Amino acid sequence: MFRYLDQPIAEDIQHKLVILTGPRQVGKTTLGKNLRARYPEWFASSQYLNYDILPDRAILAKHSWAANRDLLVLDELHKMPEWKPWLKGVADARAARASTAQQGKPAILVTGSARMDTFTQSGESLAGRYFHWRMHPLSVHELVQYATKEIAPDADSAMRRLLERGGFPEPCLAASPRTAHRWRQTYIEGLIREDIVEMSRIQEINTMRVFLQALRSRTGSPLSMASIAREMSVSPVTLRRYLEILEALYIVFQVRPWHRNVARATLQAPKVYFYDTGLIEGDAGAKFENLVACHLLKHVHWQQDSEGATTALHYIRTKDDAEIDFCLSDGEGDKATLTLLIECKTTDIKPHRALQRFATQWPRAQAVQLVANAAQDEDLAQEDSAVIRIRQAAPWLYLLGV
């Protein structure tokens, strides 16, 4: 199936190196392998090299890939020792060929995990040499746009499918829920045995497994590390390190409270969500909130990666415990403003009290109450002229795009 990043990456890769990161099995490798078939007018020939495959590893070490290919896809490159300066050298060599008859061939796509993000943080820099895209699981919009015979081409059916199966392509498009469930069990164990062990000590596997299980039942609640640490008899410092590993591997993501002062926001408790909604252990409300969080983060990352926007995802909670699930901000520091306020409900169409309060406080922000089972949309004007938009969740998520 087509993915939302197919065309943007195909266009970018003709001009600069492209680094594509995202969760394991979200479709990065498939996208890279399909580019030649999708866009034969740009990529008449291609070569795929995976560092996990020994013959490919030798080719990478000797730089002996076919220079006349239009496209070179490099997978699992982060496992190569000193891969950062190696890739910088490859990018510089390609740029030098751009003025020759070879015109900078081959175009280069590098796929991998979040660990590749460290390019912008330390060590060798690729500044000005690459574009970075983050790939997310399937959304309502993608399922409707590229519906299969098993999925009805409407937003509500797509949303129900995502709530049941999660957005990773294989379980979402599987022929039966049983197949999806078996995939997920294998996926979790694979993450623990391979990726998590690679970034931590092997004796920590059981503790990490317990911590991951604890997070699955705490979706949408401000995370108290001290409380979980007491339950597990480990230090909060250790759990914070575990959380950083899970986030670096695109297993979970944190949503921090809104505050113009970044330091203050960092000190307050984050909420944790899973990229795979199918991993949530909770009621329908928890799964729905996680699904909305995934869609909003995908929308934010799209704006950041495609436009260089300063959009960010947060939640709001005050000292008197007034809280709404999500908000979007635009801008940085003192110039940051809120553009969207969101509260998630499964059936309640009565305006949420905190949403009404914050809609008055930030009148320029659109206030939306997303209801999973609403019969219709409704705009409710408040006494202070603020408007609360009650919206059917599935069509609204579809209109987010991507």
Side-chain angles (χ1 to χ4, degrees):
M1 66 182 296
F2 278 90
R3 294 302 306 274
Y4 72 110
L5 290 182
D6 282 355
Q7 185 169 342
I9 287 179
E11 293 174 350
D12 278 354
I13 206 172
Q14 297 178 73
H15 307 289
K16 291 189 179 184
L17 171 77
V18 170
I19 296 177
L20 175 63
T21 60
R24 182 177 289 276
Q25 297 189 38
V26 78
K28 303 184 299 296
T29 299
T30 301
L31 183 151
K33 289 182 175 181
N34 286 345
L35 282 178
R36 177 183 173 185
R38 296 268 195 267
Y39 305 98
E41 69 277 18
W42 292 334
F43 311 116
S45 61
S46 64
Q47 187 171 3
Y48 170 80
L49 298 172
N50 187 328
Y51 190 75
D52 281 339
I53 300 173
L54 286 178
D56 290 0
R57 188 176 298 185
I59 292 173
L60 290 168
K62 294 183 293 184
H63 291 228
S64 58
W65 53 81
N68 62 344
R69 298 294 172 88
D70 294 319
L71 173 65
L72 178 63
V73 180
L74 306 178
D75 206 357
E76 300 294 340
L77 196 63
H78 62 274
K79 297 179 181 179
M80 174 192 292
E82 302 296 324
W83 65 271
K84 299 176 191 178
W86 182 91
L87 187 55
K88 179 178 181 293
V90 171
D92 287 344
R94 180 188 181 278
R97 291 194 298 272
S99 59
T100 70
Q102 290 181 298
Q103 297 180 340
K105 290 184 179 180
I108 300 174
L109 172 65
V110 180
T111 66
S113 71
R115 282 162 288 186
M116 306 199 82
D117 294 345
T118 57
F119 254 126
T120 61
Q121 299 169 13
S122 62
E124 294 289 339
S125 172
L126 282 176
R129 298 175 176 88
Y130 77 106
F131 290 120
H132 178 206
W133 291 93
R134 286 164 287 189
M135 193 171 197
H136 284 256
L138 297 169
S139 61
V140 169
H141 189 271
E142 279 196 278
L143 281 186
V144 172
Q145 291 290 313
Y146 313 119
T148 66
K149 291 185 292 185
E150 293 81 15
I151 304 172
D154 67 87
D156 190 66
S157 297
M159 187 180 77
R160 303 299 166 191
R161 184 82 167 203
L162 292 170
L163 286 169
E164 176 190 357
R165 303 281 191 88
F168 281 66
E170 188 171 342
C172 184
L173 303 176
S176 69
R178 177 173 174 269
T179 301
H181 180 71
R182 294 176 66 190
W183 175 91
R184 186 156 285 107
Q185 291 300 112
T186 304
Y187 181 73
I188 296 171
E189 286 304 311
L191 287 173
I192 292 172
R193 286 196 311 269
E194 298 173 23
D195 288 347
I196 291 177
V197 168
E198 188 178 327
M199 297 186 72
S200 60
R201 294 186 292 271
I202 193 168
Q203 61 266 31
E204 297 178 307
I205 291 179
N206 288 334
T207 309
M208 180 71 85
R209 183 181 282 109
V210 173
F211 180 53
L212 183 62
Q213 186 65 31
L215 293 179
R216 294 175 68 181
S217 61
R218 285 173 166 81
T219 302
S221 300
L223 193 63
S224 171
M225 287 295 195
S227 175
I228 302 177
R230 285 193 297 271
E231 293 177 14
M232 296 178 57
S233 299
V234 296
S235 75
V237 173
T238 298
L239 292 188
R240 279 192 286 272
R241 181 168 62 84
Y242 288 174
L243 184 59
E244 289 175 357
I245 292 173
L246 295 175
E247 192 169 25
L249 292 171
Y250 281 110
I251 299 171
V252 303
F253 59 93
Q254 298 184 60
V255 175
R256 295 195 173 276
W258 157 256
H259 201 289
R260 283 194 174 91
N261 185 310
V262 176
R264 289 188 180 182
T266 302
L267 290 173
Q268 296 182 56
K271 296 198 291 185
V272 174
Y273 297 92
F274 282 79
Y275 282 92
D276 181 8
T277 298
L279 285 173
I280 303 305
E281 291 188 349
D283 58 17
K287 293 180 179 179
F288 175 57
E289 184 177 331
N290 195 94
L291 183 68
V292 172
C294 288
H295 278 69
L296 291 174
L297 186 67
K298 186 175 184 178
H299 171 72
V300 165
H301 281 175
W302 167 267
Q303 291 191 323
Q304 292 173 349
D305 296 345
S306 65
E307 305 292 340
T310 54
T311 310
L313 174 62
H314 305 274
Y315 75 96
I316 299 178
R317 186 173 188 177
T318 62
K319 292 181 179 179
D320 58 355
D321 292 333
E323 180 180 335
I324 60 170
D325 294 323
F326 305 108
C327 65
L328 295 188
S329 66
D330 186 35
E332 298 176 332
D334 293 339
K335 296 182 179 179
T337 59
L338 293 183
T339 60
L340 183 63
L341 310 171
I342 296 180
E343 178 65 19
C344 302
K345 299 291 183 183
T346 52
T347 57
D348 191 2
I349 61 173
K350 181 181 179 182
H352 183 59
R353 182 173 296 180
L355 183 61
Q356 293 176 298
R357 169 180 167 179
F358 298 139
T360 300
Q361 189 172 347
W362 288 286
R364 294 186 179 180
Q366 188 177 112
V368 179
Q369 185 160 313
L370 283 183
V371 185
N373 300 299
Q376 60 186 8
D377 293 345
E378 190 174 2
D379 291 346
L380 302 176
Q382 308 300 298
E383 292 182 0
D384 53 15
S385 76
V387 176
I388 305 297
R389 295 168 171 84
I390 309 298
R391 292 292 182 264
Q392 300 175 82
W396 192 90
L397 292 174
Y398 171 80
L399 290 174
L400 276 180
V402 298

